[in-house]
Amino acid sequence: MVKIIYDKNAKTVATRVAYGNALADLGDKYNFFVLDADLSGSTQTAIFGKKFPDRFINCGIAESNMISVAAGIAASGVPAFASSFAMFACGRAYEQIRNSVAYPELNVKICASHAGVTVGEDGATHQFNEDIAIMRSMPQMTVVNPADATEAYAAVEAILNHYGPVYMRLGRFAVPVVFEKESYKFELGKGVVLADGSDVVIFATGIMNAAALDAREMLKAEGIDAAVVNIHTIKPIDKEIIIKYAEKTRRIVTAEEHSVIGGLGSAVADVTSEYCPTRMARVGIEDVFGTSGKAAELLDYYNLNAKGIVNKVKSLF
Amino acid sequence: MNREKLLCLDEAAAKIRCLAMEAVYNAESGHPGGSLSIAEIIAYLYFEKMNIDPNDPCKPDRDRLVLSKGHTCPALYSALALKGFFPVEEIKTFRHLGSRLQGHPDMNKLPGIDMTTGSLGQGISAACGMAIKAKRCGDKYKVFAIIGDGESQEGQVWEAAMFAGHYKLNNLIAFLDFNHLQIDGDVREVMNPTPLDKKFEAFGWYVQVIDGHNFEEIENAVNNAYASDKPNVIICNTIKGKGVSFMENNAEWHGKAPKKEQYELAMAELEAAYERAKENRKNG
């Protein structure tokens, strides 16, 4: 079982920082290129760029070209990581990802930072809450959304060892470290049980895992025994664990820093509606655009917090 | 270029045109105009210049071709078939359900295709990726690309142009098939992309303008490109629909297949040209 070190005093690290460090560490062991589009300081690819300048390519502010260049590098036999903000890496370059990367099944890892509303002050034009929906509807695409710095760091090597297109979602905001680094093993496509429970299961992805653990404590005080399962791989999704917990608890709440349309909530409903119809409620962005504000304020503003999860859980009783 | 080589290439281009027309006719769809305009470029690359091996289509040191204007794949498929990458008979399956010869090139289905293309503007960027990979890793292969004049209306072409100029990708040689026509008409009337030479020059490319149906000019331009220290674009003045009188310079033939009578007329012209080329080669 995974060792959770999360508590009220947990240190906070952004998943993008773990990504940057992982690239730089893995560069000694593996041959791959890293591409960025003038945001290497923000996406943290600059750490790799400084250490391995011959394998780092700054493409300037031209994300469409960056994705197709990455495809060309991969078609020449070397994996390529391509990073920018989610809005641009996935939003702007959607069609390049589809036709130059996913359809030819090339070994390109699109690692998109600043996803969700926790971009913060930049506001709606930079807050991408639809990327999981878009990427998971694409054939041959794997979609990963790490919970914390530990998981993000481990996921980089895991996706590098998995041949094919991957979309990995990373955040700007420093979030609590949930997992112990030394013992953590990342298994692509496998849900991770953070806590067992019998009354309801909370399927959380990304930074909502910490909130889900807080919600579990709050629910315990009210006599509700909640399981918490981390779904870091949204596609291919871990059907078994979803079915197992749906059947066990008969109540599901999903929690994601993403639109309630097309993301984890939809992915879980895809499974349960077909195999084990189960009442569920979704915590996420309610089909609206974001707005400027501090990341922490925005999480509260959109009810992407423990209280938001608790309220949704109670709505099922 | 010696006469023997020239006559061989003439014959290859003539045969490519015949097969491309056959492909489009049997598919009852496809893009004859732009396939006919690039026949000499394709023939030169596959029958003269590129380091390729039909028995080892993925050999790491091969030269690459990215057909960025992927819709003109009938010409490319024909060259690959004639070179022995797959049986010539398979040309008839173009665009059919279950065929390896997809409507636009698929690198995972058909041997000899170096990059999946079809969505305009993306191929030239992928070619840049192959070229920068070679430069950074010390590979000696060259990367050829064929882009369209209509395609040059895509913003991504100019992102790629900036990229190649910035990183001085002199191992990249792009042919621009300047046949002046796109689906809706004359490129200069639909959305004028000219002056193409000055635009590429401004992005740091070595620009040459040639007759894209003349093998000696193609060869000279490619040899010049091999000696250049910049990314290369060879702007090829071509005739859309070249070789079929009623298709030449007619935008109507950008993306439709001939009916039976039209096909017979077209093939009569293309086969006559092929027979002449074959005869010429035999006679030296």
Side-chain angles (χ1 to χ4, degrees):
Chain A
M1 188 119 168
V2 59
K3 185 164 181 200
I4 295 169
I5 56 170
Y6 172 67
D7 61 29
K8 288 276 174 268
N9 305 313
K11 73 170 179 173
T12 59
V13 182
T15 51
R16 65 187 164 119
V17 172
Y19 166 64
N21 288 327
L23 287 179
D25 292 347
L26 294 169
D28 292 312
K29 190 174 162 191
Y30 298 92
N31 186 24
F32 57 86
F33 278 81
V34 176
L35 289 77
D36 207 294
D38 191 45
L39 289 168
S40 63
S42 301
T43 64
Q44 304 285 313
T45 60
I47 309 168
F48 178 92
K50 205 169 166 196
K51 194 171 169 189
F52 304 102
D54 290 346
R55 287 188 275 147
F56 179 75
I57 301 167
N58 200 326
C59 298
I61 309 167
E63 297 81 9
S64 308
N65 182 61
M66 173 177 72
I67 296 296
S68 300
V69 166
I73 291 170
S76 310
V78 181
F81 286 81
S83 286
S84 178
F85 287 3
M87 187 69 250
F88 314 121
C90 161
R92 168 81 59 115
Y94 160 76
E95 203 236 297
Q96 283 74 18
I97 297 174
R98 184 191 186 278
N99 283 322
S100 290
V101 175
Y103 174 50
E105 210 170 359
L106 288 167
N107 205 6
V108 175
K109 317 300 178 191
I110 298 129
C111 295
S113 76
H114 293 59
V117 289
T118 50
V119 175
E121 296 83 343
D122 279 350
T125 55
H126 287 55
Q127 292 162 332
F128 203 26
N129 301 316
E130 304 99 78
D131 54 330
I132 293 173
I134 290 169
M135 287 294 115
R136 86 178 181 91
S137 67
M138 194 177 280
Q140 300 183 159
M141 180 61 76
T142 294
V143 180
V144 175
N145 184 25
D148 72 343
T150 300
E151 194 166 88
Y153 186 93
V156 179
E157 189 166 11
I159 63 173
L160 186 57
N161 283 322
H162 161 84
Y163 182 90
V166 175
Y167 178 77
M168 185 157 83
R169 185 181 217 240
L170 301 161
R172 168 182 180 238
F173 188 45
V175 292
V177 176
V178 176
F179 305 115
E180 182 192 68
K181 188 167 180 175
E182 293 68 30
S183 61
Y184 189 80
K185 300 265 184 297
F186 186 92
E187 275 191 88
L188 203 61
K190 291 278 180 220
V192 185
V193 179
L194 305 191
D196 207 352
S198 54
D199 298 329
V200 61
V201 56
I202 303 165
F203 292 115
T205 189
I207 66 171
M208 293 305 290
N209 276 287
L213 289 170
D214 289 342
R216 181 176 194 274
E217 292 307 309
M218 291 161 72
L219 290 163
K220 198 188 281 176
E222 304 196 30
I224 296 172
D225 183 22
V228 177
V229 178
N230 167 25
I231 304 290
H232 55 61
T233 307
I234 312 262
K235 188 185 175 188
I237 200 151
D238 188 343
K239 279 185 194 163
E240 273 180 35
I241 210 163
I242 291 169
I243 294 167
K244 181 181 165 192
Y245 274 89
E247 288 179 340
K248 181 176 179 185
T249 66
R250 304 311 304 163
R251 294 182 192 90
I252 297 171
V253 168
T254 56
E256 59 196 309
E257 187 204 4
H258 181 276
S259 173
V260 292
I261 297 174
L264 175 68
S266 298
V268 168
D270 284 351
V271 176
T272 56
S273 58
E274 197 163 327
Y275 296 96
C276 51
T278 306
R279 256 198 97 196
M280 65 183 287
R282 296 167 299 168
V283 173
I285 304 288
E286 301 282 352
D287 195 24
V288 292
F289 287 109
T291 189
S292 288
K294 295 203 182 307
E297 291 172 344
L298 289 165
L299 289 173
D300 289 338
Y301 181 77
Y302 291 105
N303 298 315
L304 302 174
N305 52 19
K307 201 173 154 221
I309 296 172
V310 166
N311 287 339
K312 290 286 182 182
V313 167
K314 285 187 182 170
S315 75
L316 296 177
F317 285 86
Chain B
M1 182 179 285
N2 71 46
R3 188 168 163 76
E4 192 193 338
K5 191 157 79 174
L6 181 69
L7 295 175
C8 280
L9 290 173
D10 272 339
E11 186 186 336
K15 188 67 188 171
I16 286 169
R17 287 197 167 92
C18 293
L19 289 174
M21 190 57 63
E22 205 180 313
V24 173
Y25 175 68
N26 281 299
E28 299 177 14
S29 72
H31 300 79
S35 301
L36 296 172
S37 63
I38 61 167
E40 279 80 12
I41 300 166
I42 291 280
Y44 178 76
L45 290 176
Y46 281 89
F47 287 80
E48 174 62 25
K49 198 66 188 176
M50 285 170 69
N51 168 26
I52 45 162
D53 180 358
N55 298 314
D56 188 7
C58 294
K59 66 173 185 164
D61 68 339
R62 74 191 186 281
D63 293 326
R64 272 79 168 163
L65 172 79
V66 180
L67 186 64
S68 199
K69 42 175 288 183
H71 55 282
T72 58
C73 53
L76 174 57
Y77 294 164
S78 301
L80 292 173
L82 292 170
K83 288 298 287 186
F85 282 86
F86 57 88
V88 173
E89 296 71 48
E90 221 172 314
I91 287 286
K92 290 193 183 73
T93 69
F94 174 54
R95 287 180 169 242
H96 289 198
L97 183 62
S99 174
R100 300 192 285 178
L101 282 64
Q102 290 288 295
H104 293 83
D106 184 325
M107 63 189 289
N108 294 323
K109 290 201 165 78
L110 194 64
I113 300 295
D114 292 313
M115 183 66 204
T116 296
T117 54
S119 180
L120 295 177
Q122 297 185 25
I124 186 67
S125 294
C128 286
M130 295 174 183
I132 197 165
K133 187 269 174 188
K135 283 187 87 76
R136 294 282 182 94
C137 298
D139 303 330
K140 297 295 174 215
Y141 64 76
K142 300 284 182 191
V143 183
F144 297 96
I146 302 177
I147 58 178
D149 48 4
E151 182 180 14
S152 305
Q153 293 160 351
E154 285 282 5
Q156 189 172 351
V157 169
W158 304 105
E159 290 186 6
M162 184 162 40
F163 182 92
H166 181 83
Y167 286 111
K168 299 189 171 56
L169 303 180
N170 63 336
N171 53 349
L172 173 64
I173 300 164
F175 294 87
L176 195 155
D177 180 24
F178 196 14
N179 63 30
H180 297 271
L181 293 173
Q182 59 191 117
I183 305 181
D184 274 355
D186 189 304
V187 292
R188 287 158 300 192
E189 286 170 18
V190 175
M191 180 50 63
N192 191 357
T194 65
L196 288 160
D197 52 349
K198 289 196 173 63
K199 286 192 174 82
F200 276 102
E201 245 169 55
F203 283 113
W205 290 53
Y206 174 49
V207 182
Q208 302 177 75
V209 182
I210 63 163
D211 172 353
H213 299 305
N214 182 311
F215 285 114
E216 286 180 316
E217 291 192 27
I218 293 172
E219 177 160 82
N220 286 338
V222 171
N223 287 341
N224 291 339
Y226 271 50
S228 116
D229 58 359
K230 297 175 178 174
N232 302 277
V233 63
I234 301 170
I235 297 177
C236 298
N237 286 305
T238 58
I239 293 167
K240 194 154 187 161
K242 170 81 173 174
V244 177
S245 54
F246 61 92
M247 290 186 179
E248 287 191 0
N249 295 313
N250 185 350
E252 202 187 317
W253 291 100
H254 171 89
K256 76 167 186 184
K259 302 265 180 268
K260 188 163 187 290
E261 302 74 41
Q262 292 165 323
Y263 173 65
E264 281 163 3
L265 282 173
M267 286 310 282
E269 291 184 28
L270 293 175
E271 275 170 353
Y274 173 58
E275 291 305 324
R276 274 198 308 277
K278 208 159 67 174
E279 201 61 25
N280 284 343
R281 183 180 56 77
K282 273 184 197 150
N283 298 336

